[in-house]
Amino acid sequence: MYLSTSEELAAFCERASTCKVLAVDTEFLREKTYYPKLCLVQVAAGDDIAAVDPLRVEDLSPLAALFQDPDVTKVFHACSQDLEVLLDGMGVVCAPVFDTQVAAAFLGMRQQVSYGSLVEAYCGVHLPKAESLTDWSRRPLDPEQLAYAEDDVRYLPGIYERMISDLTRRDRLSWVGPEMAELVDVSRLRRDPAEAYLRLRRSGSLTRRQLALAREVCAWRERAAAERDVPRKWVLSDEVVVEVCKRAPASLERLRRVRGTEQLSERDARGVLAAVERGRACPADQCPKVVRHVRPSPETEGVIDLMYAVLRLVSEKSGVAAQLIATRDDLLEFLQARDTSRLASGWRWELAGSTLERLLSGEVGLTVKDGRIELL
């Protein structure tokens, strides 16, 4: 059903409030804005599937209440962007959530399995992709668009039930819980302008002092983009930010020598100069640390290769995707700082960390049998 009035939404939400599980998906646009523009919210509740039009419905509070109900599990597939969009568009943090893409990695499927592949595997249904590039902000939406959108939640409740059953049978439900809780951590969803420089591309060549400038310039750019609701690169590209931080101009004339700053108004240019000055005035001990990814020695690389072989064995035996258990960086951290590694606690320790510990202490080894690597 297509819901375009507050009354229709309120009636649907009243029925949906009796459900303990909701399947949720969103359609949005963000190519020309800073904040993603929420265009459609699809919800499956029991036998009902609703496409809620947030561009037409004036009062979304009944839906917001459902999404924040701690007694209702919200089922998504690959939910990170959806959660961000719902936070920006409706001001809600959905919790608790269950992400079928994350759960699939615990059940023998690859870590980032697509929704289409999941539906085909669990339901034997091949979903069309005809509307994948639709402009969801245009109205009216036609029946084909709505059917495509509703398919994104139609199969999730059944998949969820089967996944819960499989995870329980394999005694892995407790493993999945912490991963799902991380997804709704508000600190991961909100944008902090002071940390925008951490996502600055090509910043690896900057010194600590230049990073202090980048922190201030990126924070200024973030606030400017948010205020105007335009992509941050429309204000100033990453390449220009890096060049400005390297040159550290102290005057408007010197700033204008950086190619790419000609688009800045005089007000914006002075905003950049003020940010540069704040970075220049930052005490040395408060400048961001330079994180250099030092390549491990050949000997260490060899140990990590051995650890990764064990990880692959654990993955094949357990059916949990290797990348979900650990990356090569995780293995290096476990080798160099075991106590702080995420492999040293929780389900990762139980599944792989304890075996890797025994490998590093010489208690177990590897051999080849019938063309396959096995533990000794």
Side-chain angles (χ1 to χ4, degrees), residues 60-94:
L60 294 171
S61 60
L63 190 60
L66 273 181
F67 287 168
Q68 295 178 107
D69 189 334
D71 296 324
V72 178
T73 299
K74 277 66 69 172
V75 182
F76 294 82
H77 183 81
C79 69
S80 58
Q81 289 195 80
D82 295 303
L83 295 177
E84 179 187 344
V85 170
L86 291 171
L87 178 60
D88 285 333
M90 294 177 57
V92 300
V93 177
C94 291

Side-chain angles (χ1 to χ4, degrees), residues 200-207 209-214 217 238-250 254-255 258 276 280 292:
L200 179 66
R201 291 178 298 170
R202 302 183 182 179
S203 62
S205 61
L206 300 181
T207 65
R209 175 58 60 189
Q210 290 167 346
L211 278 175
L213 269 64
V217 174
D238 281 3
E239 292 77 11
V240 175
V241 171
V242 169
E243 189 62 25
V244 166
C245 294
K246 286 182 177 179
R247 297 193 189 189
R254 296 190 70 84
L255 175 65
V258 179
V276 168
R280 190 183 286 113
R292 303 291 188 202

Side-chain angles (χ1 to χ4, degrees), residues 182-197:
E182 281 187 21
L183 296 173
V184 294
D185 182 349
V186 177
S187 65
R188 293 162 57 105
L189 299 174
R190 296 193 186 280
R191 305 175 189 85
D192 183 355
E195 295 183 355
Y197 78 100

Side-chain angles (χ1 to χ4, degrees), residues 315-353:
S315 173
E316 290 172 10
K317 184 177 179 180
S318 65
V320 179
Q323 283 294 104
L324 179 63
I325 303 172
T327 63
R328 288 184 70 89
D329 286 344
D330 292 328
L331 295 177
L332 177 60
E333 183 182 22
F334 187 75
L335 181 63
Q336 295 179 337
R338 209 157 304 173
D339 292 342
T340 59
S341 169
R342 64 178 187 164
L343 276 165
S345 61
W347 68 266
R348 288 183 172 87
W349 167 261
E350 179 183 342
L351 186 62

Side-chain angles (χ1 to χ4, degrees), residues 15 22 28 39 45 51 71 81 155 175 201 228 272 283 300 313 340 343 345 347 365 374:
R15 295 193 304 273
L22 300 178
F28 58 90
C39 299
D71 296 324
Q81 289 195 80
Y155 304 98
W175 295 2
R201 291 178 298 170
R228 300 164 199 176
V272 172
T300 300
L313 286 177
T340 59
L343 276 165
S345 61
W347 68 266
E374 293 185 2

